[in-house]
Amino acid sequence: MKAQAYRIGLKGDEFYDLQEVFRESINTTIIAGVKETGAFSKDGIEETAQAVKTLIEKLKEKGVPGDNIFVVASSAISSVKNRDELAKRVEELTGYKLEFLTVKDEVLFGIAGAVPPKYFYNSIFVDVGSGNTKIGYLEKVGGSINVRSFEIPYGTVSLAERASKGKDFRMELVEVLSKEVEPVLKREAQKNPAYLNRQNVFLVGCIVWAITTLQKPGQVEEAYVKLSSSDIRNFTLTIPKNTDRVLNPDLSKLKPELRDKAKKQVEKVKDVFSVDNLYAGSMLLDSIGRTFNFEKRNLIFPRYGNWLVGYVVLRGYLEETEAVKK
């Protein structure tokens, strides 16, 4: 569960002028067991609805007007069969209706919230979430803008959970990726060569943030961080062999103020992820990278970009457009 509040202004072709007012996350068990049962547990629903309530109260304490708060569910849980029970409980506790996004919605909002406009039509977007992974891009067709997108039904947490059911965690990961993930990637690339041919890849999601934080702590203040396929691969190879070194990067050479910020981010990574989550997420990202030839492309992590930002920006734009029409 993530709550974020921004003051957002337009900034030409570069990006938005973002001033972060509030950011907080609460981990819940909402996704646990969904792969096997297709439904949320009663405990997961209650825990998650209570977390939504807590975060809304904190947003209001920060001065966010009630009308400017939106409660949105990612595509990872939109297809769960008892999602209406979650929506009902959230509304009972908060008064807010829960909006469910599709994969296509999330890719559109993700691009709007993470990719500078000048890169809209020469880039692809990859969002490795906790429950699923969304990949897509924008294209111009005639006078219209089209969203190409597809989903991998695994994310950092759900893949780790799936692999934990096998006898050997690492071998199970390899098998799931080779039999269930890579065939989907290859099929989509065959249908839409843009997934292989566009030069820029914007990577978002908690595993991307974790890898960047732990491997490039000195860049903790940079809005856009360049990554490489070797960054991902080195992390994947090192995390199971030398976990302590990966989780405790050397910060001694950083300036004091930067060191304090980097240390806080490193501690957040440890609070959010288990080692199995980190390994599963990095394996998933590496699998995507090998199939989509990341070694030949520009990889960019937009630190402050995500579909939540895009949702707010596009929502505001649509409301202003409607007001002008009226």
Side-chain angles (χ1 to χ4, degrees), residues 126 128 133 135 152 156 159 173-174 177-178 181-182 185 203 207-208 211 215 227-239 277-295 299:
V126 178
V128 183
T133 297
I135 302 177
I152 296 169
T156 301
L159 179 58
L173 275 177
V174 171
L177 291 170
S178 63
V181 173
E182 290 172 12
L185 293 167
L203 300 169
I207 188 60
V208 184
I211 291 173
Q215 292 210 316
L227 298 172
S228 68
S229 58
S230 61
D231 290 329
I232 299 168
R233 195 155 297 139
N234 289 341
F235 184 92
T236 305
L237 291 172
T238 309
I239 187 71
N277 290 158
L278 289 170
Y279 186 57
S282 65
M283 283 281 285
L284 174 56
L285 191 58
D286 185 55
S287 184
I288 296 168
R290 284 185 286 103
T291 310
F292 277 7
N293 298 326
F294 278 4
E295 67 274 8
L299 308 183

Side-chain angles (χ1 to χ4, degrees), residues 24-248:
E24 187 167 322
S25 299
I26 299 176
N27 288 339
T28 76
T29 58
I30 189 65
I31 206 71
V34 169
K35 199 73 178 174
E36 290 75 26
T37 66
F40 302 128
S41 69
K42 289 184 178 180
D43 288 345
I45 288 173
E46 184 62 25
E47 181 187 9
T48 301
Q50 291 290 347
V52 173
K53 180 182 178 183
T54 297
L55 292 172
I56 287 175
E57 289 171 350
K58 291 189 175 186
L59 284 167
K60 290 180 177 178
E61 288 172 5
K62 287 291 182 180
V64 180
D67 289 343
N68 287 4
I69 295 174
F70 306 97
V71 185
V72 189
S74 78
S75 58
I77 64 173
S78 291
S79 60
V80 178
K81 61 187 179 184
N82 64 338
R83 71 178 200 178
D84 290 345
E85 293 178 30
L86 174 62
K88 180 181 178 182
R89 187 57 181 148
V90 167
E91 188 170 5
E92 287 173 350
L93 289 177
T94 69
Y96 286 88
K97 291 187 179 297
L98 179 57
E99 179 181 350
F100 292 92
L101 299 185
T102 65
V103 170
K104 192 170 185 178
D105 292 334
E106 208 164 329
V107 167
L108 173 61
F109 293 138
I111 292 172
V115 181
K118 66 180 180 180
Y119 293 106
F120 276 177
Y121 304 106
N122 60 12
S123 306
I124 70 168
F125 173 77
V126 178
D127 181 357
V128 183
S130 295
N132 68 345
T133 297
K134 290 75 58 180
I135 302 177
Y137 62 89
L138 296 182
E139 64 179 0
K140 287 184 178 178
V141 181
S144 302
I145 297 173
N146 188 38
V147 181
R148 294 281 184 186
S149 64
F150 70 96
E151 174 192 23
I152 296 169
Y154 291 106
T156 301
V157 176
S158 59
L159 179 58
E161 185 179 86
R162 167 69 173 78
S164 68
K165 307 296 183 185
K167 294 181 179 179
D168 185 297
F169 182 78
R170 296 183 195 177
M171 290 300 295
E172 194 72 17
L173 275 177
V174 171
E175 186 169 352
V176 172
L177 291 170
S178 63
K179 292 184 178 180
E180 299 183 44
V181 173
E182 290 172 12
V184 175
L185 293 167
K186 291 175 182 177
R187 184 179 69 240
E188 291 295 329
Q190 191 171 27
K191 289 195 304 184
N192 298 295
Y195 287 121
L196 297 177
N197 297 333
R198 290 195 173 189
Q199 188 60 38
N200 305 300
V201 182
F202 283 80
L203 300 169
V204 302
C206 281
I207 188 60
V208 184
W209 161 69
I211 291 173
T212 305
T213 298
L214 296 173
Q215 292 210 316
K216 299 176 182 288
Q219 295 178 256
V220 69
E221 292 184 325
E222 294 185 20
Y224 293 92
V225 181
K226 289 185 178 180
L227 298 172
S228 68
S229 58
S230 61
D231 290 329
I232 299 168
R233 195 155 297 139
N234 289 341
F235 184 92
T236 305
L237 291 172
T238 309
I239 187 71
K241 296 178 181 178
N242 200 333
T243 304
D244 286 342
R245 183 163 67 84
V246 173
L247 293 180
N248 298 285

